[in-house]
Amino acid sequence: MASIINSLAVPSSYRDQLYQGSSNQLSDDLSTTATLYVGNLSFFTTEEQIYELFGKCGEIKRIIMGLDRNQKTPCGFCFVEYYHRSDALDCMKYTNGTKLDERVIRCDLDPGFKEGRQFGRGKSGGQVRDEYRTEYDVGRGGWGHRMRMQLEHDRERNIKENYEAIKDIPQGADEYKSRAGTGGQSAKRKYDDNQDESRKRPKEQNPRFRENEDDDEE
């Protein structure tokens, strides 16, 4: 009997370009897999949060967090492997398109996790989608990699144009410097002359004190 309602437990049309195998092998793997790929996660979402949400659909065998290849920090995806395929299909039905950490997450059937797939494939170490992202996303580390590079380039150019040390002496600066130096030397010379005159001047006697005892006898 035909149905007008599409199943929510079918895999998407996305195909892993690095999958080693034929299209028939991929179809066979997807028809028996109990592993899900979860995308659009926040960089701050923890493994405990994922376990709490996805554990409602069945018993989880393991969770593999996606990591930045260079920094080894979460970069917005993970793999969830169940013990039973039926639990993975239920998760596709009930969890795909829901919110986790205020983000709409995507779930898709995965042919199976292999070592090395936990690392981002982007040139910067993260996911490829974050290489080209032009909007500011707090949950995904702010700007995309290319936007960060462009902003950093613009900042360096602005500093170079407006704040770099002056190499060429402005016209008239030498004349001002010579005047300032002459004024300083003349002021120092005047101060030294005053000091010399004060040393040559005889010391004045304090009228409140007498110099010897003869004044008392008079």
Side-chain angles (χ1 to χ4, degrees), residues 122-134:
K123 293 181 180 180
S124 63
Q127 287 193 275
V128 176
R129 61 179 295 235
D130 289 317
E131 297 281 329
Y132 303 95
R133 181 167 46 79
T134 57

Side-chain angles (χ1 to χ4, degrees), residues 44-74:
F44 305 101
T45 299
T46 63
E47 184 175 341
E48 289 76 12
Q49 290 175 280
I50 296 172
Y51 192 93
E52 182 180 359
L53 176 62
F54 286 79
K56 297 180 184 301
C57 297
E59 188 177 0
I60 295 175
K61 183 176 181 180
R62 61 173 176 168
I63 295 174
I64 302 99
M65 297 296 292
L67 302 176
D68 185 288
R69 187 175 62 253
N70 301 324
Q71 302 178 10
K72 302 300 183 293
T73 55

Side-chain angles (χ1 to χ4, degrees), residues 181-196:
T182 304
Q185 292 177 0
S186 61
K188 184 176 184 300
R189 190 180 301 112
K190 184 177 181 181
Y191 174 78
D192 293 339
D193 294 341
N194 292 335
Q195 288 291 98
D196 292 339

Side-chain angles (χ1 to χ4, degrees), residues 131-143:
E131 297 281 329
Y132 303 95
R133 181 167 46 79
T134 57
E135 74 278 4
Y136 187 85
D137 191 337
V138 177
R140 305 276 301 187
W143 296 108

Side-chain angles (χ1 to χ4, degrees), residues 204-212 215-216:
E204 298 180 356
Q205 298 178 355
N206 192 331
R208 299 184 62 184
F209 296 93
R210 297 175 181 176
E211 291 185 356
N212 48 51
D215 296 335
D216 294 335

Side-chain angles (χ1 to χ4, degrees), residues 110-207:
D110 188 85
F113 174 79
K114 293 183 180 180
E115 187 61 34
R117 293 190 65 200
Q118 71 268 37
F119 299 119
R121 298 175 180 176
K123 293 181 180 180
S124 63
Q127 287 193 275
V128 176
R129 61 179 295 235
D130 289 317
E131 297 281 329
Y132 303 95
R133 181 167 46 79
T134 57
E135 74 278 4
Y136 187 85
D137 191 337
V138 177
R140 305 276 301 187
W143 296 108
H145 176 67
R146 293 197 175 187
M147 282 295 296
R148 288 199 304 270
M149 295 294 291
Q150 182 63 41
L151 292 172
E152 182 65 20
H153 176 72
D154 294 342
R155 188 181 72 86
E156 291 178 356
R157 184 177 60 183
N158 182 51
I159 292 176
K160 185 176 181 180
E161 292 177 353
N162 300 306
Y163 300 100
E164 191 173 358
I166 298 175
K167 297 180 180 179
D168 300 328
I169 300 176
Q171 186 177 3
D174 291 334
E175 182 180 353
Y176 175 80
K177 183 177 179 181
S178 61
R179 290 179 180 177
T182 304
Q185 292 177 0
S186 61
K188 184 176 184 300
R189 190 180 301 112
K190 184 177 181 181
Y191 174 78
D192 293 339
D193 294 341
N194 292 335
Q195 288 291 98
D196 292 339
E197 291 180 1
S198 64
R199 292 193 188 98
K200 295 177 182 179
R201 190 182 306 152
K203 185 178 180 181
E204 298 180 356
Q205 298 178 355
N206 192 331

Side-chain angles (χ1 to χ4, degrees), residues 40 81 142 194:
N40 199 38
E81 185 176 347
N194 292 335

